[in-house]
Amino acid sequence: MNITVKGLVIQEYDLKEKDKIVRIFTDTKGIISAIVRRGKNLKSRNSSIVQLFAYYKFNLYVGKNSYIVEEAEILELFWTIRQNLDNLALSQYFCQLCTAFHPSEERSSELLRLLLNTLYLLSKNKKSPAILKAIFELRGCSLCGYMPDLTGCTRCKKYENEKMIFFIEHGIMVCPECLKSYEKQNGQVVSISILKALRHTIYSEIDKLFSFDMSENTEKIFCDICEKYILSHIGSGFKALDFYKSIQKFI
């Protein structure tokens, strides 16, 4: 039996002498692994299928224990990402996050669209890499079952205040008046501008997701909160993130 899926190649590794295995983030099947026959042979037409960060329409043969790539039509090739070490590390981090999210088949299409949009903006230098990273972290979390509740104070339901306190570990927010009930926990104080950015990232339509700007100081706090949130809820150990941070130290 054969199936057709659209998907982004997020990982590749060798299998035996001539073949490759690619991990594909698909629109309908989540993340799957597929064998590319003669994928290591540069003279084979299949060698182009194993390109990282390339988006394809795949024709897959469904074997007893694995998928096998029979044909692949390229839809988008984010080539420029591989020409910049920072962007390459960041893109690998996004792909590692997608694997860690364990997207269900129902959610895979939304998360894949988020990933493709993020890679496009990154490859075209249309948005700050730091902002793209933060948006992907928080929106990705929200799509896959880790959405924080920022609709208002979790206790009194107050919509906003000059300062609100965001409890990252629990994904909830309280106003200063209700803080005493949570004083033994560590909360992150957020301004109205930060709160608006967080809410926009979580609740906006995908077409409007990247259409906001912020000051340099607000951006730094926003990015810090998003990274803390994902590491708190998904865990650490992302090698690509560690590498990306090591590069930033020399910039």
Side-chain angles (χ1 to χ4, degrees), residues 164-192:
M164 298 289 275
I165 298 87
F166 180 29
F167 291 103
I168 292 175
E169 183 178 349
H170 300 285
I172 59 173
M173 180 177 66
V174 299
C175 66
E177 289 76 13
C178 297
L179 182 58
K180 290 184 179 180
S181 301
Y182 299 87
E183 60 185 2
K184 292 183 179 180
Q185 303 177 38
N186 295 320
Q188 171 82 45
V189 177
V190 296
S191 64
I192 291 179

PDB file of all heavy atoms in Angstrom, residues 164-192:
ATOM      1  N   MET A 164       1.706  42.108  36.436  1.00  0.00           N
ATOM      2  CA  MET A 164       1.103  40.813  36.760  1.00  0.00           C
ATOM      3  C   MET A 164       2.241  39.842  37.061  1.00  0.00           C
ATOM      4  O   MET A 164       3.395  40.092  36.695  1.00  0.00           O
ATOM      5  CB  MET A 164       0.249  40.299  35.614  1.00  0.00           C
ATOM      6  CG  MET A 164      -0.937  41.192  35.253  1.00  0.00           C
ATOM      7  SD  MET A 164      -2.272  41.184  36.486  1.00  0.00           S
ATOM      8  CE  MET A 164      -3.198  39.727  35.964  1.00  0.00           C
ATOM      9  N   ILE A 165       1.908  38.749  37.725  1.00  0.00           N
ATOM     10  CA  ILE A 165       2.933  37.768  38.078  1.00  0.00           C
ATOM     11  C   ILE A 165       2.610  36.448  37.382  1.00  0.00           C
ATOM     12  O   ILE A 165       1.525  35.887  37.553  1.00  0.00           O
ATOM     13  CB  ILE A 165       3.018  37.567  39.616  1.00  0.00           C
ATOM     14  CG1 ILE A 165       3.409  38.879  40.304  1.00  0.00           C
ATOM     15  CG2 ILE A 165       4.064  36.505  39.947  1.00  0.00           C
ATOM     16  CD1 ILE A 165       2.261  39.791  40.640  1.00  0.00           C
ATOM     17  N   PHE A 166       3.563  35.995  36.597  1.00  0.00           N
ATOM     18  CA  PHE A 166       3.407  34.769  35.821  1.00  0.00           C
ATOM     19  C   PHE A 166       4.194  33.653  36.490  1.00  0.00           C
ATOM     20  O   PHE A 166       5.412  33.729  36.635  1.00  0.00           O
ATOM     21  CB  PHE A 166       3.924  35.006  34.400  1.00  0.00           C
ATOM     22  CG  PHE A 166       3.820  33.824  33.475  1.00  0.00           C
ATOM     23  CD1 PHE A 166       2.836  32.859  33.623  1.00  0.00           C
ATOM     24  CD2 PHE A 166       4.723  33.678  32.417  1.00  0.00           C
ATOM     25  CE1 PHE A 166       2.744  31.777  32.756  1.00  0.00           C
ATOM     26  CE2 PHE A 166       4.642  32.610  31.541  1.00  0.00           C
ATOM     27  CZ  PHE A 166       3.649  31.656  31.720  1.00  0.00           C
ATOM     28  N   PHE A 167       3.486  32.606  36.915  1.00  0.00           N
ATOM     29  CA  PHE A 167       4.136  31.444  37.512  1.00  0.00           C
ATOM     30  C   PHE A 167       4.407  30.432  36.393  1.00  0.00           C
ATOM     31  O   PHE A 167       3.520  29.675  35.984  1.00  0.00           O
ATOM     32  CB  PHE A 167       3.264  30.848  38.613  1.00  0.00           C
ATOM     33  CG  PHE A 167       3.150  31.734  39.819  1.00  0.00           C
ATOM     34  CD1 PHE A 167       2.000  32.492  40.038  1.00  0.00           C
ATOM     35  CD2 PHE A 167       4.193  31.841  40.723  1.00  0.00           C
ATOM     36  CE1 PHE A 167       1.898  33.326  41.142  1.00  0.00           C
ATOM     37  CE2 PHE A 167       4.103  32.670  41.836  1.00  0.00           C
ATOM     38  CZ  PHE A 167       2.952  33.425  42.039  1.00  0.00           C
ATOM     39  N   ILE A 168       5.628  30.469  35.932  1.00  0.00           N
ATOM     40  CA  ILE A 168       6.010  29.704  34.745  1.00  0.00           C
ATOM     41  C   ILE A 168       5.820  28.203  34.935  1.00  0.00           C
ATOM     42  O   ILE A 168       5.291  27.512  34.055  1.00  0.00           O
ATOM     43  CB  ILE A 168       7.479  30.019  34.380  1.00  0.00           C
ATOM     44  CG1 ILE A 168       7.591  31.478  33.907  1.00  0.00           C
ATOM     45  CG2 ILE A 168       7.999  29.061  33.316  1.00  0.00           C
ATOM     46  CD1 ILE A 168       9.004  31.949  33.635  1.00  0.00           C
ATOM     47  N   GLU A 169       6.207  27.712  36.074  1.00  0.00           N
ATOM     48  CA  GLU A 169       6.123  26.262  36.312  1.00  0.00           C
ATOM     49  C   GLU A 169       4.690  25.750  36.256  1.00  0.00           C
ATOM     50  O   GLU A 169       4.424  24.633  35.803  1.00  0.00           O
ATOM     51  CB  GLU A 169       6.741  25.922  37.676  1.00  0.00           C
ATOM     52  CG  GLU A 169       6.766  24.431  37.966  1.00  0.00           C
ATOM     53  CD  GLU A 169       7.431  24.118  39.301  1.00  0.00           C
ATOM     54  OE1 GLU A 169       8.044  25.033  39.897  1.00  0.00           O
ATOM     55  OE2 GLU A 169       7.343  22.953  39.744  1.00  0.00           O
ATOM     56  N   HIS A 170       3.741  26.571  36.696  1.00  0.00           N
ATOM     57  CA  HIS A 170       2.343  26.138  36.746  1.00  0.00           C
ATOM     58  C   HIS A 170       1.515  26.679  35.583  1.00  0.00           C
ATOM     59  O   HIS A 170       0.356  26.289  35.409  1.00  0.00           O
ATOM     60  CB  HIS A 170       1.711  26.581  38.073  1.00  0.00           C
ATOM     61  CG  HIS A 170       2.405  26.014  39.276  1.00  0.00           C
ATOM     62  ND1 HIS A 170       2.263  24.707  39.669  1.00  0.00           N
ATOM     63  CD2 HIS A 170       3.283  26.578  40.147  1.00  0.00           C
ATOM     64  CE1 HIS A 170       2.994  24.482  40.752  1.00  0.00           C
ATOM     65  NE2 HIS A 170       3.627  25.601  41.052  1.00  0.00           N
ATOM     66  N   GLY A 171       2.094  27.593  34.808  1.00  0.00           N
ATOM     67  CA  GLY A 171       1.387  28.124  33.654  1.00  0.00           C
ATOM     68  C   GLY A 171       0.190  28.982  34.000  1.00  0.00           C
ATOM     69  O   GLY A 171      -0.798  29.003  33.254  1.00  0.00           O
ATOM     70  N   ILE A 172       0.268  29.683  35.121  1.00  0.00           N
ATOM     71  CA  ILE A 172      -0.844  30.532  35.547  1.00  0.00           C
ATOM     72  C   ILE A 172      -0.328  31.934  35.878  1.00  0.00           C
ATOM     73  O   ILE A 172       0.875  32.141  36.053  1.00  0.00           O
ATOM     74  CB  ILE A 172      -1.574  29.953  36.775  1.00  0.00           C
ATOM     75  CG1 ILE A 172      -0.602  29.800  37.953  1.00  0.00           C
ATOM     76  CG2 ILE A 172      -2.252  28.631  36.430  1.00  0.00           C
ATOM     77  CD1 ILE A 172      -1.262  29.390  39.252  1.00  0.00           C
ATOM     78  N   MET A 173      -1.272  32.865  36.013  1.00  0.00           N
ATOM     79  CA  MET A 173      -0.930  34.250  36.283  1.00  0.00           C
ATOM     80  C   MET A 173      -1.818  34.780  37.398  1.00  0.00           C
ATOM     81  O   MET A 173      -2.997  34.417  37.498  1.00  0.00           O
ATOM     82  CB  MET A 173      -1.134  35.067  35.003  1.00  0.00           C
ATOM     83  CG  MET A 173      -0.832  36.537  35.105  1.00  0.00           C
ATOM     84  SD  MET A 173      -1.029  37.326  33.477  1.00  0.00           S
ATOM     85  CE  MET A 173      -2.812  37.125  33.224  1.00  0.00           C
ATOM     86  N   VAL A 174      -1.252  35.635  38.243  1.00  0.00           N
ATOM     87  CA  VAL A 174      -2.037  36.258  39.309  1.00  0.00           C
ATOM     88  C   VAL A 174      -1.752  37.759  39.335  1.00  0.00           C
ATOM     89  O   VAL A 174      -0.712  38.229  38.857  1.00  0.00           O
ATOM     90  CB  VAL A 174      -1.731  35.650  40.704  1.00  0.00           C
ATOM     91  CG1 VAL A 174      -2.060  34.178  40.746  1.00  0.00           C
ATOM     92  CG2 VAL A 174      -0.277  35.899  41.097  1.00  0.00           C
ATOM     93  N   CYS A 175      -2.682  38.491  39.881  1.00  0.00           N
ATOM     94  CA  CYS A 175      -2.500  39.929  40.034  1.00  0.00           C
ATOM     95  C   CYS A 175      -1.811  40.206  41.381  1.00  0.00           C
ATOM     96  O   CYS A 175      -1.761  39.324  42.252  1.00  0.00           O
ATOM     97  CB  CYS A 175      -3.846  40.645  39.969  1.00  0.00           C
ATOM     98  SG  CYS A 175      -4.957  40.263  41.350  1.00  0.00           S
ATOM     99  N   PRO A 176      -1.276  41.398  41.589  1.00  0.00           N
ATOM    100  CA  PRO A 176      -0.585  41.705  42.856  1.00  0.00           C
ATOM    101  C   PRO A 176      -1.459  41.520  44.084  1.00  0.00           C
ATOM    102  O   PRO A 176      -0.978  41.112  45.140  1.00  0.00           O
ATOM    103  CB  PRO A 176      -0.171  43.171  42.680  1.00  0.00           C
ATOM    104  CG  PRO A 176      -0.052  43.348  41.203  1.00  0.00           C
ATOM    105  CD  PRO A 176      -1.147  42.502  40.620  1.00  0.00           C
ATOM    106  N   GLU A 177      -2.767  41.811  43.958  1.00  0.00           N
ATOM    107  CA  GLU A 177      -3.668  41.687  45.105  1.00  0.00           C
ATOM    108  C   GLU A 177      -3.835  40.250  45.569  1.00  0.00           C
ATOM    109  O   GLU A 177      -4.098  39.993  46.744  1.00  0.00           O
ATOM    110  CB  GLU A 177      -5.045  42.277  44.754  1.00  0.00           C
ATOM    111  CG  GLU A 177      -5.079  43.793  44.629  1.00  0.00           C
ATOM    112  CD  GLU A 177      -4.478  44.296  43.331  1.00  0.00           C
ATOM    113  OE1 GLU A 177      -4.252  43.461  42.419  1.00  0.00           O
ATOM    114  OE2 GLU A 177      -4.209  45.504  43.224  1.00  0.00           O
ATOM    115  N   CYS A 178      -3.697  39.314  44.647  1.00  0.00           N
ATOM    116  CA  CYS A 178      -3.873  37.890  44.988  1.00  0.00           C
ATOM    117  C   CYS A 178      -2.545  37.181  45.222  1.00  0.00           C
ATOM    118  O   CYS A 178      -2.518  35.969  45.458  1.00  0.00           O
ATOM    119  CB  CYS A 178      -4.643  37.174  43.874  1.00  0.00           C
ATOM    120  SG  CYS A 178      -6.327  37.770  43.624  1.00  0.00           S
ATOM    121  N   LEU A 179      -1.459  37.927  45.185  1.00  0.00           N
ATOM    122  CA  LEU A 179      -0.132  37.317  45.252  1.00  0.00           C
ATOM    123  C   LEU A 179       0.134  36.602  46.565  1.00  0.00           C
ATOM    124  O   LEU A 179       0.859  35.602  46.595  1.00  0.00           O
ATOM    125  CB  LEU A 179       0.940  38.390  45.019  1.00  0.00           C
ATOM    126  CG  LEU A 179       2.405  37.909  44.997  1.00  0.00           C
ATOM    127  CD1 LEU A 179       2.609  36.855  43.916  1.00  0.00           C
ATOM    128  CD2 LEU A 179       3.347  39.090  44.788  1.00  0.00           C
ATOM    129  N   LYS A 180      -0.439  37.089  47.663  1.00  0.00           N
ATOM    130  CA  LYS A 180      -0.170  36.493  48.972  1.00  0.00           C
ATOM    131  C   LYS A 180      -0.495  35.009  49.012  1.00  0.00           C
ATOM    132  O   LYS A 180       0.132  34.248  49.750  1.00  0.00           O
ATOM    133  CB  LYS A 180      -0.942  37.237  50.056  1.00  0.00           C
ATOM    134  CG  LYS A 180      -0.425  38.643  50.326  1.00  0.00           C
ATOM    135  CD  LYS A 180      -1.183  39.286  51.473  1.00  0.00           C
ATOM    136  CE  LYS A 180      -0.647  40.693  51.758  1.00  0.00           C
ATOM    137  NZ  LYS A 180      -1.370  41.355  52.877  1.00  0.00           N
ATOM    138  N   SER A 181      -1.471  34.613  48.228  1.00  0.00           N
ATOM    139  CA  SER A 181      -1.852  33.196  48.208  1.00  0.00           C
ATOM    140  C   SER A 181      -0.798  32.335  47.535  1.00  0.00           C
ATOM    141  O   SER A 181      -0.808  31.116  47.642  1.00  0.00           O
ATOM    142  CB  SER A 181      -3.187  33.018  47.472  1.00  0.00           C
ATOM    143  OG  SER A 181      -4.204  33.761  48.096  1.00  0.00           O
ATOM    144  N   TYR A 182       0.145  32.980  46.830  1.00  0.00           N
ATOM    145  CA  TYR A 182       1.161  32.249  46.081  1.00  0.00           C
ATOM    146  C   TYR A 182       2.571  32.703  46.456  1.00  0.00           C
ATOM    147  O   TYR A 182       3.525  32.445  45.729  1.00  0.00           O
ATOM    148  CB  TYR A 182       0.959  32.462  44.577  1.00  0.00           C
ATOM    149  CG  TYR A 182      -0.373  31.978  44.076  1.00  0.00           C
ATOM    150  CD1 TYR A 182      -1.484  32.824  44.121  1.00  0.00           C
ATOM    151  CD2 TYR A 182      -0.533  30.699  43.574  1.00  0.00           C
ATOM    152  CE1 TYR A 182      -2.721  32.389  43.664  1.00  0.00           C
ATOM    153  CE2 TYR A 182      -1.765  30.267  43.121  1.00  0.00           C
ATOM    154  CZ  TYR A 182      -2.861  31.116  43.168  1.00  0.00           C
ATOM    155  OH  TYR A 182      -4.078  30.687  42.717  1.00  0.00           O
ATOM    156  N   GLU A 183       2.702  33.356  47.612  1.00  0.00           N
ATOM    157  CA  GLU A 183       3.971  33.991  47.955  1.00  0.00           C
ATOM    158  C   GLU A 183       5.121  33.000  48.147  1.00  0.00           C
ATOM    159  O   GLU A 183       6.288  33.393  48.096  1.00  0.00           O
ATOM    160  CB  GLU A 183       3.807  34.846  49.209  1.00  0.00           C
ATOM    161  CG  GLU A 183       3.359  34.053  50.435  1.00  0.00           C
ATOM    162  CD  GLU A 183       3.102  34.972  51.625  1.00  0.00           C
ATOM    163  OE1 GLU A 183       3.240  36.192  51.457  1.00  0.00           O
ATOM    164  OE2 GLU A 183       2.766  34.467  52.699  1.00  0.00           O
ATOM    165  N   LYS A 184       4.826  31.729  48.361  1.00  0.00           N
ATOM    166  CA  LYS A 184       5.890  30.751  48.557  1.00  0.00           C
ATOM    167  C   LYS A 184       6.418  30.205  47.229  1.00  0.00           C
ATOM    168  O   LYS A 184       7.329  29.391  47.213  1.00  0.00           O
ATOM    169  CB  LYS A 184       5.376  29.592  49.424  1.00  0.00           C
ATOM    170  CG  LYS A 184       5.080  30.001  50.862  1.00  0.00           C
ATOM    171  CD  LYS A 184       4.654  28.809  51.700  1.00  0.00           C
ATOM    172  CE  LYS A 184       4.375  29.229  53.140  1.00  0.00           C
ATOM    173  NZ  LYS A 184       3.949  28.078  53.988  1.00  0.00           N
ATOM    174  N   GLN A 185       5.826  30.666  46.141  1.00  0.00           N
ATOM    175  CA  GLN A 185       6.267  30.212  44.829  1.00  0.00           C
ATOM    176  C   GLN A 185       7.021  31.334  44.117  1.00  0.00           C
ATOM    177  O   GLN A 185       6.848  32.493  44.423  1.00  0.00           O
ATOM    178  CB  GLN A 185       5.059  29.786  43.991  1.00  0.00           C
ATOM    179  CG  GLN A 185       4.225  28.687  44.653  1.00  0.00           C
ATOM    180  CD  GLN A 185       3.003  28.339  43.826  1.00  0.00           C
ATOM    181  OE1 GLN A 185       3.061  28.307  42.615  1.00  0.00           O
ATOM    182  NE2 GLN A 185       1.891  28.089  44.491  1.00  0.00           N
ATOM    183  N   ASN A 186       7.864  30.950  43.179  1.00  0.00           N
ATOM    184  CA  ASN A 186       8.638  31.929  42.424  1.00  0.00           C
ATOM    185  C   ASN A 186       7.877  32.351  41.174  1.00  0.00           C
ATOM    186  O   ASN A 186       7.595  31.530  40.302  1.00  0.00           O
ATOM    187  CB  ASN A 186       9.998  31.343  42.036  1.00  0.00           C
ATOM    188  CG  ASN A 186      10.869  31.062  43.237  1.00  0.00           C
ATOM    189  OD1 ASN A 186      10.902  31.855  44.171  1.00  0.00           O
ATOM    190  ND2 ASN A 186      11.568  29.935  43.212  1.00  0.00           N
ATOM    191  N   GLY A 187       7.557  33.641  41.104  1.00  0.00           N
ATOM    192  CA  GLY A 187       6.824  34.161  39.965  1.00  0.00           C
ATOM    193  C   GLY A 187       7.648  35.171  39.185  1.00  0.00           C
ATOM    194  O   GLY A 187       8.567  35.792  39.724  1.00  0.00           O
ATOM    195  N   GLN A 188       7.316  35.325  37.920  1.00  0.00           N
ATOM    196  CA  GLN A 188       7.982  36.282  37.036  1.00  0.00           C
ATOM    197  C   GLN A 188       7.071  37.494  36.869  1.00  0.00           C
ATOM    198  O   GLN A 188       5.947  37.375  36.384  1.00  0.00           O
ATOM    199  CB  GLN A 188       8.233  35.639  35.677  1.00  0.00           C
ATOM    200  CG  GLN A 188       8.724  36.591  34.603  1.00  0.00           C
ATOM    201  CD  GLN A 188      10.211  36.849  34.662  1.00  0.00           C
ATOM    202  OE1 GLN A 188      10.997  35.924  34.808  1.00  0.00           O
ATOM    203  NE2 GLN A 188      10.598  38.107  34.544  1.00  0.00           N
ATOM    204  N   VAL A 189       7.547  38.656  37.284  1.00  0.00           N
ATOM    205  CA  VAL A 189       6.767  39.881  37.126  1.00  0.00           C
ATOM    206  C   VAL A 189       6.771  40.274  35.651  1.00  0.00           C
ATOM    207  O   VAL A 189       7.827  40.325  35.013  1.00  0.00           O
ATOM    208  CB  VAL A 189       7.346  41.024  37.979  1.00  0.00           C
ATOM    209  CG1 VAL A 189       6.557  42.311  37.745  1.00  0.00           C
ATOM    210  CG2 VAL A 189       7.320  40.653  39.454  1.00  0.00           C
ATOM    211  N   VAL A 190       5.579  40.535  35.098  1.00  0.00           N
ATOM    212  CA  VAL A 190       5.475  40.928  33.698  1.00  0.00           C
ATOM    213  C   VAL A 190       4.698  42.233  33.579  1.00  0.00           C
ATOM    214  O   VAL A 190       3.707  42.451  34.271  1.00  0.00           O
ATOM    215  CB  VAL A 190       4.802  39.841  32.830  1.00  0.00           C
ATOM    216  CG1 VAL A 190       5.650  38.580  32.795  1.00  0.00           C
ATOM    217  CG2 VAL A 190       3.410  39.508  33.342  1.00  0.00           C
ATOM    218  N   SER A 191       5.172  43.098  32.708  1.00  0.00           N
ATOM    219  CA  SER A 191       4.497  44.360  32.439  1.00  0.00           C
ATOM    220  C   SER A 191       3.354  44.123  31.462  1.00  0.00           C
ATOM    221  O   SER A 191       3.208  43.029  30.890  1.00  0.00           O
ATOM    222  CB  SER A 191       5.487  45.365  31.856  1.00  0.00           C
ATOM    223  OG  SER A 191       5.954  44.904  30.605  1.00  0.00           O
ATOM    224  N   ILE A 192       2.554  45.162  31.219  1.00  0.00           N
ATOM    225  CA  ILE A 192       1.447  45.047  30.275  1.00  0.00           C
ATOM    226  C   ILE A 192       1.973  44.719  28.877  1.00  0.00           C
ATOM    227  O   ILE A 192       1.397  43.895  28.155  1.00  0.00           O
ATOM    228  CB  ILE A 192       0.615  46.340  30.253  1.00  0.00           C
ATOM    229  CG1 ILE A 192      -0.147  46.495  31.579  1.00  0.00           C
ATOM    230  CG2 ILE A 192      -0.375  46.327  29.084  1.00  0.00           C
ATOM    231  CD1 ILE A 192      -0.978  47.757  31.670  1.00  0.00           C
TER     232      ILE A 192
END
